[in-house]
Amino acid sequence: MERKYESVLGELASRSINFFISKSSKAKVLDVEDSLQRVLLRAQVIIDEATGRHITSQAVLQQLDMLRDAMYHGCYILDTFRCQSHDEHDANDQVVSHSFALSKVNSLKGFCSSSRNTHILEQLQDALDNLSYMILDVKELVVFLTSYPCLYRQPYSMHLLLHNCMFGRQMEAELVLNFLLQARPHGAEELEVLPIVGPGRVGKSTLVANVCKDERVRDQFSEILFLSDHDFRDEKLMHLWEGCAKKFQNCTAIKDVRVLVVVEVAGDFNEGEWKRLYSSSKQFLTSGSKIIITSRSKKITKVGTRSALMLKYLSDEAYWYFFKTLAFGSTDPMMHPRMACLAMEIARVLQRPFVTGTITAGLMRDNFDTHFWCKLLAFLRGFVKWHVSRFGEDPSNCLNQNKPAHLRRMIRTSEAIMVYGWYECRSQEEVPKMRLQNLMYGRAKPSGRFETLAWSSPIPPYYSYIFACEIEDLKNTAVKRKRS
């Protein structure tokens, strides 16, 4: 009896300790969560105020970029914590009746939960401290912005704003603008060249096209020429410069005819062809003209008169902010915690491509239903796992490198969409009426080889992405392989 009595007392003591630890840690976590939410709101106000300003100071731009990254990280940590809390709450609701025989297991779970809460508290606290310090660092910038009219954006229009603007490239755009608008050093004879380097589909063409749309750039340059590496031929260059010379002769009202040349190198960089282009540019272009060259190859960094601008893919935190805003639209994600967790898992499965993320987020916004989002998440997980196991590579990597890929269909599970390749076309050109989302998530079933519209960009350079496809029956393919 004494041993049983001591064991019961020990069990009660351990439960009491775990109860008070969990309660105190939970209270601290909730306090930090509330503080982080307020600091995130303040950071969002500062960034919204600064987004519409024409800032030329490189130091201020770097501060804003660091503050923006800290805000994305804080949102990511906060949403991850809320999803974990929501999952734990669902698990506790499902398991409501345990006997006293499982008391030791439950006490161990209590200790594990308290250590996990401590880890979550540390992550939330680090995000809160980092963002708070960032806001203190930009206090001079906040004072500077108060002298301008307040820029107020309604929350319901934020998804429309992100859908119709270049996301995550504010600092890079200002750097290119400063290069184009900066006066040329007195007595300098060489043409100024800015190289922009980055992997495929990172947004090099989009960045340059949006900067060239700026009215100040239009006022600075009387002509903007877009060239590709196919225009490096001598005969093409002669025709090009002769046509430009005739245009410039007719521009008698303009005293200084300045030209901006944008060169996009799609393949490998040829230094010999570049030298011919550059020498002919010096011969035909007037003083004050400038060149921007974009490529995946880092070889172009050698030809720049300015330090090269290196573009990278969005971070996980920035991509989640972008994807969540588009997926929920005018709806507050905090009102739908279960759907917020599903959206975060879908964003992780997609692995940060802009085109696929925009298509999927639009599909989710049009089908705002928990059951559909659960079905979509299960489909995407199974599809990616199937593609990796069968072809040894993620489908987004294949599409990004313009290699053949297989896309599964959510309704017709026995069929796949064989994508042989894709290309870009301008918005004014004729595009296919059939859309990729109708193939993957609808009941459309074309025959033979066909082209489908994957996505049309609403921002410059207004590209439409066309896939060359064919429907493949997985059952017949499996039978043929087995026979062979």
Side-chain angles (χ1 to χ4, degrees):
M1 284 295 294
E2 291 181 359
R3 290 183 178 180
K4 289 183 179 181
Y5 184 69
E6 290 176 357
S7 64
V8 170
L9 286 180
E11 177 63 30
L12 291 175
S14 64
R15 283 193 172 194
S16 301
I17 293 172
N18 289 333
F19 174 78
F20 286 114
I21 290 176
S22 63
K23 284 293 183 182
S24 60
S25 62
K26 186 175 182 180
K28 290 180 181 178
V29 168
L30 292 177
D31 291 340
V32 176
E33 177 193 3
D34 185 57
S35 300
L36 181 57
Q37 180 65 42
R38 293 197 303 270
V39 174
L40 282 170
L41 182 61
R42 186 178 179 186
Q44 182 68 60
V45 171
I46 296 173
I47 292 171
D48 285 347
E49 288 289 338
T51 299
R53 312 300 176 186
H54 299 309
I55 302 171
T56 58
S57 171
Q58 298 299 315
V60 174
L61 288 175
Q62 290 181 1
Q63 280 186 316
L64 284 173
D65 196 54
M66 293 169 63
L67 178 63
R68 191 178 290 109
D69 289 342
M71 185 194 71
Y72 293 152
H73 178 72
C75 289
Y76 186 81
I77 292 296
L78 187 60
D79 289 338
T80 302
F81 160 70
R82 286 171 175 170
C83 288
Q84 290 178 352
S85 300
H86 186 268
D87 292 341
E88 289 179 0
H89 180 72
D90 288 348
N92 290 334
D93 287 345
Q94 294 174 6
V95 184
V96 292
S97 58
H98 277 287
S99 62
F100 184 77
L102 296 177
S103 60
K104 293 184 179 181
V105 177
N106 287 334
S107 64
L108 289 175
K109 285 184 178 180
F111 281 116
C112 294
S113 177
S114 62
S115 65
R116 184 169 63 251
N117 287 339
T118 303
H119 180 64
I120 293 173
L121 177 61
E122 290 176 354
Q123 289 185 319
L124 290 172
Q125 188 66 53
D126 289 342
L128 174 62
D129 294 341
N130 187 30
L131 194 57
S132 300
Y133 291 143
M134 289 290 178
I135 291 177
L136 290 176
D137 290 340
V138 298
K139 60 182 180 181
E140 294 85 0
L141 175 62
V142 175
V143 174
F144 171 75
L145 292 176
T146 54
S147 61
Y148 291 88
C150 182
L151 180 60
Y152 183 75
R153 289 179 182 149
Q154 295 287 350
Y156 67 83
S157 63
M158 182 56 70
H159 69 286
L160 299 177
L161 177 71
L162 289 189
H163 187 266
N164 293 282
C165 76
M166 182 175 56
F167 176 76
R169 299 297 183 199
Q170 289 83 0
M171 180 179 177
E172 290 84 352
E174 291 296 336
L175 290 174
V176 179
L177 274 171
N178 291 341
F179 164 75
L180 296 177
L181 302 180
Q182 190 175 25
R184 182 178 169 181
H186 182 69
E189 296 182 358
E190 292 190 358
L191 288 172
E192 291 188 280
V193 181
L194 174 65
I196 301 179
V197 184
R201 311 264 61 84
V202 76
K204 300 183 292 294
S205 300
T206 302
L207 172 64
V208 175
N210 280 268
V211 170
C212 291
K213 192 181 67 172
D214 193 285
E215 293 182 359
R216 294 169 294 165
V217 176
R218 297 285 183 178
D219 295 337
Q220 182 80 1
F221 299 95
S222 55
E223 188 79 14
I224 300 177
L225 301 178
F226 290 89
L227 307 179
S228 66
D229 45 4
H230 300 294
D231 299 320
F232 285 7
R233 311 290 185 211
D234 292 337
E235 61 274 9
K236 288 188 177 182
L237 284 176
M238 289 304 299
H239 277 301
L240 175 68
W241 298 134
E242 287 175 1
C244 291
K246 291 179 181 179
K247 280 185 181 180
F248 302 153
Q249 288 175 1
N250 296 330
C251 298
T252 54
I254 302 177
K255 295 182 180 179
D256 298 325
V257 180
R258 291 183 291 267
V259 182
L260 171 60
V261 181
V262 179
V263 182
E264 184 174 349
V265 181
D268 192 20
F269 178 69
N270 189 310
E271 193 168 351
E273 293 179 350
W274 163 257
K275 288 181 179 179
R276 287 196 296 271
L277 172 67
Y278 186 74
S279 61
S280 61
S281 302
K282 289 177 61 177
Q283 181 181 353
F284 286 95
L285 299 183
T286 57
S287 175
S289 300
K290 297 187 179 183
I291 299 177
I292 294 177
I293 178 171
T294 67
S295 176
R296 300 181 185 184
S297 174
K298 294 183 179 180
K299 296 179 182 177
I300 66 171
T301 57
K302 299 185 295 184
V303 304
T305 60
R306 296 288 186 92
S307 298
L309 179 60
M310 312 296 290
L311 295 186
K312 299 179 180 179
Y313 291 117
L314 291 178
S315 63
D316 292 332
E317 295 85 354
Y319 183 77
W320 165 238
Y321 183 87
F322 171 80
F323 185 83
K324 177 179 68 171
T325 305
L326 291 186
F328 280 89
S330 58
T331 306
D332 186 3
M334 293 183 65
M335 301 299 295
H336 303 273
R338 173 58 180 162
M339 299 183 76
C341 298
L342 291 172
M344 179 169 274
E345 287 300 317
I346 292 173
R348 287 171 179 164
V349 173
L350 293 177
Q351 295 190 353
R352 298 181 295 172
F354 255 119
V355 175
T356 310
T358 305
I359 294 174
T360 308
L363 180 71
M364 295 166 62
R365 190 171 64 251
D366 295 338
N367 298 271
F368 199 81
D369 178 70
T370 306
H371 177 70
F372 179 82
W373 286 23
C374 288
K375 187 177 179 181
L376 178 63
L377 175 59
F379 164 73
L380 291 175
R381 280 176 173 170
F383 159 53
V384 172
K385 184 178 180 180
W386 169 81
H387 198 282
V388 172
S389 63
R390 186 170 180 180
F391 305 102
E393 193 172 4
D394 191 274
S396 60
N397 294 336
C398 295
L399 293 175
N400 190 38
Q401 301 172 21
N402 206 3
K403 297 192 301 185
H406 292 71
L407 306 181
R408 294 295 296 269
R409 307 189 69 185
M410 189 163 71
I411 296 178
R412 301 178 182 270
T413 56
S414 61
E415 295 177 347
I417 306 169
M418 177 64 188
V419 180
Y420 294 98
W422 58 271
Y423 63 92
E424 301 167 347
C425 69
R426 298 287 181 176
S427 58
Q428 61 268 23
E429 300 178 19
E430 187 175 354
V431 298
K433 294 182 179 180
M434 185 178 300
R435 292 183 172 271
L436 179 63
Q437 50 264 49
N438 294 335
L439 283 173
M440 291 188 65
Y441 308 108
R443 298 183 180 277
K445 187 179 180 181
S447 59
R449 290 204 178 190
F450 58 92
E451 291 186 342
T452 180
L453 174 62
W455 182 60
S456 292
S457 174
I459 62 175
Y462 302 109
Y463 283 148
S464 293
Y465 300 89
I466 313 300
F467 284 11
C469 307
E470 185 178 14
I471 299 296
E472 184 182 77
D473 194 327
L474 298 178
K475 294 180 179 179
N476 294 339
T477 304
V479 171
K480 289 180 181 179
R481 288 185 177 179
K482 189 173 182 180
R483 289 177 179 175
S484 64

